[in-house]
Amino acid sequence: MYIRNREIVSDTWRIVGESGGALEGGFVLLPYSNWLDAIAEAKLSPKNIGAWLETSFDSSELVRLPDVLAIQFDQFTDGRGYSLAKIIRGRIGFKGDLFAIGDVTRDQLLDLEKCGFNCFVLREDQDIHDSLEAFEEFNFSYRDSFVQKGSELETAGSKKLRHASGH
Amino acid sequence: MYIYGENDQKLIEQRVAQFRGQTARFLAGKLTEDDFRPLRLKNGLYIQKHAPMLRVAIPYGLLSSHQLRALANISEKYDRGYGHFTTRQNIQFNWLKLEQVPDVLDDLSKVGMHAIQTSGNCIRNVTTDEFAGLAPDEVVNPLVWCELIRQWSTLHPEFGYLPRKFKIAVSGADTDRAAIRVHDIGLLARRNDIGEIGFSVYVGGGLGRTPIVGQVIREFLGWQDLLSYLDAILRVYNRFGRRDNKYKARIKILVKELGLEKFTDAVEAEWLISKQQIRSLHEADIESIEKRFGKPKFEVLSSQSVANESSEESQQFKNWKKRNVFPHRVNGYSCAVISLKKTGIAPGDITHTQMVAVADLADQFSFGELRVTHGQNLVLPHVRTQDLQSIYQVLESIHLSTANVGLLTDMIACPGGDFCSLANAVSIPVANAIQERFESLDYLHDIGNLVLNISGCMNSCGHHHVGNIGILGVDKGGEEWYQITIGGRQGLDAAIGKVIGKSFPRDEVPDVIEKLIHVYIKSRESSDENFAEVVGRVGLDPFKEEVYGVH
Ligand code: SF4
């Protein structure tokens, strides 16, 4: 189960580490370099196979874009993942699903979303149903009033808010 | 005063609700200490030696009488009847109970106050000149820009988990009273040749273990681009700042390791992106903030009423006027500083009854407005000069009439070993011992302006590096010793003080300070030559000889 656009989805994405793992069966997220290899060998449909990046990933090395990208947080306090997401949305213009995976807890969801993530695989101990409340904790953000309209950073959430507040 | 609008208010109320939920989950064991720590720090809550400490934000040091009364009430209701003003123009409560903190925050929100981002690895409370908007030497009023930065940085989604804390200061006057060059970002608001407002951007200043003076990365940034440019600097820092060693994690180390040029290039490249994400500012943005500040309704007074020297003035009042009263840009008005540096009281401490009395003074004489200075004092910013004597009388009756602003006894001291678990040594008792030594006012006045700063450890919360005399607590085999630096100064020509030699046990510190002062008085060419200038001219040797003897 994971959260996609503020809703719970019951599919699972299997996260394969650097050391590899089976690719078949359902949806799989591979380390970016493994993904490049897998795509080159046309092992799986691109629909079922995405790539994950470390928070320290150098965005200039994104030579080819998967349909689905993920950023792996070893610690939720690693702010690099937030900036990387903005770069991927903003500079690279990635339009697909962007996952936050790893040490992801409810208390980060709203910020992560504002940075461009729209999918969240929560840390195991988190209650996914309760976590949805986190998106409703604030219905005003100064930030949204400074965001360039039409930029990729207009998330589902901020658009909704803008409509609600009549801006 | 910036008066909150509906959205400002809603935001802080929702933040209280969010934190209440987080605290409840922690107390119910659903949130581990490791998960809770970064969350509570972002909301100003430390767990200290004795009890949780809550640091309440006073954005850019502006405080209303209404808010000060609420702080008084909180200190009485939840704490031990006093509060402590900090060098970041905030106030701290040292004796709260964790379960009560959400209620304290709730009380604060009712007067438009909060503890958002007063600690943790995020963008901290923006600070500015305590005389903003009233100083005769002001070029650009920094308050509107501070408020804009406050809004931009409040709950900034991308920069909530930086490598380390991040401090921004803004100044808009000829004299820098905001210490912008010892901040992660210092902004000097100015006007170009055709009168347009912009900012000189200084980056990478800071104290702590590796004190560094900030350098300019952009001479003139047009005001319209302020936020996208700040975003760009922060993003470069967030991505590349070191996270492996907390002592090397401030932006100053990144700037140092990359070199100014490379760092600037990285910011400029990032700016091209951030400009597409953050819109440029419009006149309307600025006007709507300006409107919320309002303007005090000054009376038209002749400057004559200013120089109304009456023979009935006591010497104490004259001293106080000389030290604590500063010029105001409006005729017939003055700016009165209330010193919180009375001998025997911890610097920056104020009781709840004093808070209430000061709030009353602000209502009666200063349009209900107050300021907190980074020197841990309070200011009645807009008082009629003819009212000074009445104000002084009230201050005298509440023991807040100490006439020492800018003098040696007006020292900055961090909470130190009495409260802070990181301390090597106590600060407050040292400050008090020095104050006692120099209490004779006349002698103090002869010395003139002198900045003496004390920190209890290398984290430098007491800004000892930029004190003309700096005192740093060090640990020597479990004992409290003190290292002394001289020649530091703040301002646009900021300099880091130099260590004079081996450190001293606590009871010797007042003697050492007296000897240093003695050399200064002996060596200065006139009373206008300040301590740092004398150190610059004669060097450390005469001071060392006096303190350590000739070897
Ligand atoms: S300088 Fe050190 S002792 Fe003083 S408040 Fe800061 S951390 Fe604590």
Side-chain angles (χ1 to χ4, degrees):
Chain A
M1 277 200 296
Y2 65 95
I3 298 171
R4 181 173 188 276
N5 298 338
R6 299 189 172 192
E7 278 166 16
I8 295 174
V9 178
S10 53
D11 300 336
T12 25
W13 281 84
R14 211 153 37 77
I15 294 150
V16 173
E18 310 270 349
S19 48
L23 299 187
E24 295 74 27
F27 303 109
V28 197
L29 289 168
L30 297 181
Y32 184 65
S33 54
N34 300 22
W35 177 82
L36 280 179
D37 295 344
I39 286 297
E41 294 164 30
K43 277 193 183 157
L44 273 177
S45 139
K47 289 264 165 280
N48 293 355
I49 177 169
W52 64 264
L53 313 171
E54 287 177 1
T55 53
S56 58
F57 186 82
D58 177 355
S59 55
S60 64
E61 284 170 21
L62 268 184
V63 285
R64 196 171 159 187
L65 282 177
D67 288 357
V68 173
L69 263 178
I71 296 173
Q72 151 74 27
F73 288 84
D74 288 340
Q75 289 175 339
F76 71 77
T77 51
D78 187 348
R80 290 176 296 185
Y82 295 71
S83 283
L84 183 58
K86 284 192 80 161
I87 288 165
I88 285 171
R89 291 293 191 201
R91 182 183 316 167
I92 295 168
F94 177 69
K95 301 267 195 295
D97 279 351
L98 182 58
F99 277 74
I101 61 176
D103 192 23
V104 178
T105 79
R106 71 165 270 174
D107 294 293
Q108 285 77 50
L109 291 179
L110 198 52
D111 284 348
L112 288 168
E113 187 191 57
K114 282 190 189 302
C115 290
F117 291 97
N118 68 319
C119 296
F120 309 90
V121 179
L122 295 174
R123 197 174 72 192
E124 260 174 28
D125 64 346
Q126 302 289 300
D127 181 324
I128 193 167
H129 298 279
D130 283 358
S131 295
L132 285 181
E133 290 166 18
F135 292 108
E136 310 296 333
E137 281 172 342
F138 290 93
N139 56 14
F140 169 75
S141 136
Y142 292 115
R143 189 69 196 159
D144 292 340
S145 60
F146 299 128
V147 167
Q148 186 80 266
K149 290 188 183 150
S151 79
E152 290 75 4
L153 290 174
E154 280 205 303
T155 58
S158 66
K159 270 187 213 150
K160 198 169 104 193
L161 289 179
R162 220 184 41 242
H163 284 298
S165 64
H167 277 297
Chain B
M1 275 309 296
Y2 177 82
I3 306 296
Y4 266 20
E6 208 184 303
N7 284 333
D8 303 289
Q9 185 62 31
K10 190 159 74 183
L11 184 92
I12 61 168
E13 284 170 10
Q14 292 182 334
R15 181 69 178 106
V16 175
Q18 184 190 44
F19 190 72
R20 191 180 284 284
Q22 290 169 343
T23 308
R25 276 187 279 138
F26 172 69
L27 291 171
K30 288 191 201 157
L31 201 56
T32 65
E33 170 58 31
D34 280 350
D35 281 347
F36 186 50
R37 189 182 313 108
L39 303 180
R40 67 168 160 76
L41 284 176
K42 279 212 264 188
N43 212 28
L45 189 65
Y46 284 80
I47 305 296
Q48 293 204 120
K49 263 191 172 168
H50 310 290
M53 179 272 275
L54 182 71
R55 186 181 293 148
V56 176
I58 300 176
Y60 34 91
L62 223 64
L63 190 66
S64 73
S65 53
H66 199 46
Q67 291 173 328
L68 185 58
R69 274 192 206 94
L71 294 173
N73 193 35
I74 285 168
S75 73
E76 199 193 357
K77 193 161 142 197
Y78 303 101
D79 201 286
R80 297 194 175 172
Y82 74 97
H84 171 78
F85 287 104
T86 75
T87 56
R88 285 204 68 70
Q89 304 179 312
N90 291 320
I91 187 168
Q92 291 177 184
F93 296 110
N94 283 315
W95 304 95
L96 301 176
K97 292 196 181 64
L98 178 59
E99 314 77 85
Q100 289 183 326
V101 170
D103 296 334
V104 174
L105 293 168
D106 211 25
D107 285 5
L108 286 170
S109 73
K110 300 209 166 84
V111 290
M113 298 188 86
H114 57 78
I116 296 171
Q117 288 162 225
T118 52
S119 64
N121 295 335
C122 48
I123 305 170
R124 301 287 188 88
N125 186 24
V126 55
T127 52
T128 190
D129 187 342
E130 53 245 31
F131 299 150
L134 63 90
D137 70 341
E138 186 167 279
V139 181
V140 175
N141 182 342
L143 292 176
V144 173
W145 305 103
C146 286
E147 171 57 24
L148 190 73
I149 293 169
R150 183 192 75 83
Q151 296 186 5
W152 161 81
S153 61
T154 296
L155 306 184
H156 194 305
E158 187 181 350
F159 306 132
Y161 296 108
L162 297 168
R164 200 81 177 82
K165 59 189 168 185
F166 202 93
K167 299 177 177 179
I168 302 177
V170 189
S171 167
D174 291 339
T175 307
D176 167 28
R177 285 172 289 262
I180 61 170
R181 295 196 69 187
V182 292
H183 280 77
D184 296 289
I185 294 180
L187 296 170
L188 178 62
R190 40 185 288 208
R191 287 178 189 274
N192 65 10
D193 299 343
I194 51 171
E196 294 163 336
I197 292 177
F199 302 90
S200 293
V201 184
Y202 292 80
V203 169
L207 300 173
R209 247 158 238 253
T210 321
I212 297 181
V213 173
Q215 304 177 74
V216 177
I217 63 162
R218 185 161 262 271
E219 281 294 345
F220 192 85
L221 173 72
W223 62 271
Q224 297 89 339
D225 291 323
L226 179 63
L227 299 187
S228 56
Y229 198 78
L230 291 177
D231 246 46
I233 297 174
L234 265 298
R235 186 170 303 145
V236 168
Y237 171 55
N238 195 29
R239 292 183 68 206
F240 302 114
R242 288 182 60 169
R243 289 172 186 266
D244 58 331
N245 177 342
K246 81 174 205 177
Y247 298 114
K248 299 201 165 153
R250 295 290 288 268
I251 196 173
K252 61 190 173 189
I253 304 293
L254 178 66
V255 175
K256 201 171 129 194
E257 285 179 356
L258 281 179
L260 190 64
E261 204 178 316
K262 263 196 166 161
F263 177 82
T264 310
D265 289 348
V267 169
E268 295 285 322
E270 201 58 58
W271 192 28
L272 295 177
I273 315 300
S274 64
K275 268 200 270 198
Q276 289 160 25
Q277 299 176 330
I278 302 295
R279 65 175 177 79
S280 52
L281 297 164
H282 312 308
E283 298 276 356
D285 295 316
I286 308 308
E287 280 162 16
S288 76
I289 293 179
E290 260 167 4
K291 230 187 269 161
R292 295 213 157 273
F293 271 102
K295 274 206 184 92
K297 295 195 174 51
F298 293 113
E299 294 165 42
V300 181
L301 300 170
S302 69
S303 25
Q304 259 220 306
S305 48
V306 175
N308 193 4
E309 283 262 339
S310 119
S311 52
E312 286 154 44
E313 291 182 357
S314 66
Q315 189 55 42
Q316 283 99 317
F317 174 58
K318 282 185 188 148
N319 282 342
W320 182 79
K321 252 193 340 185
K322 185 168 157 217
R323 291 312 322 179
N324 295 35
V325 175
F326 291 81
H328 195 289
R329 64 192 318 164
V330 177
N331 255 350
Y333 281 85
S334 294
C335 168
V337 179
I338 302 171
S339 167
L340 302 181
K341 306 298 172 56
K342 192 179 162 65
T343 301
I345 308 285
D349 274 11
I350 182 169
T351 67
H352 69 100
T353 42
Q354 287 173 327
M355 288 190 234
V356 171
V358 169
D360 291 345
L361 275 179
D363 278 340
Q364 199 182 344
F365 296 107
S366 185
F367 302 93
E369 189 182 319
L370 290 146
R371 306 283 176 89
V372 183
T373 77
H374 84 276
Q376 305 175 282
N377 291 321
L378 293 175
V379 178
L380 293 167
H382 317 290
V383 301
R384 295 191 310 186
T385 306
Q386 64 201 50
D387 292 334
L388 285 171
Q389 190 143 15
S390 321
I391 293 170
Y392 179 77
Q393 279 161 2
V394 176
L395 290 175
E396 225 178 0
S397 72
I398 54 170
H399 312 292
L400 286 179
S401 61
T402 313
N404 66 349
V405 172
L407 296 179
L408 185 151
T409 51
D410 179 17
M411 54 190 82
I412 292 178
C414 77
D418 294 308
F419 295 98
C420 175
S421 40
L422 301 172
N424 290 325
V426 295
S427 318
I428 296 163
V430 178
N432 286 335
I434 298 168
Q435 281 171 328
E436 263 160 40
R437 178 68 60 95
F438 287 91
E439 219 174 6
S440 148
L441 258 189
D442 291 343
Y443 181 35
L444 260 183
H445 281 270
D446 290 344
I447 302 169
N449 284 334
L450 194 139
V451 182
L452 192 151
N453 295 350
I454 309 176
S455 303
C457 80
M458 260 312 200
N459 287 322
S460 314
C461 305
H463 302 175
H464 66 278
H465 295 294
V466 289
N468 301 150
I469 298 177
I471 301 178
L472 166 68
V474 290
D475 176 68
K476 257 199 181 178
E479 280 176 47
E480 298 179 335
W481 285 60
Y482 295 87
Q483 185 189 70
I484 312 258
T485 49
I486 60 172
R489 60 175 176 238
Q490 38 204 39
L492 287 178
D493 58 350
I496 306 297
K498 296 197 177 75
V499 179
I500 59 168
K502 65 177 177 27
S503 48
F504 306 92
R506 183 162 136 197
D507 54 357
E508 285 178 24
V509 173
D511 282 340
V512 176
I513 303 303
E514 203 173 339
K515 285 179 183 160
L516 294 172
I517 297 297
H518 184 66
V519 179
Y520 161 58
I521 303 273
K522 227 171 37 186
S523 318
R524 70 181 175 188
E525 285 172 338
S526 76
S527 58
D528 288 341
E529 195 183 20
N530 68 35
F531 192 95
E533 285 164 348
V534 169
V535 175
R537 184 168 54 78
V538 305
L540 297 188
D541 286 345
F543 292 93
K544 285 185 176 173
E545 272 161 32
E546 179 88 12
V547 172
Y548 297 105
V550 191
H551 292 289

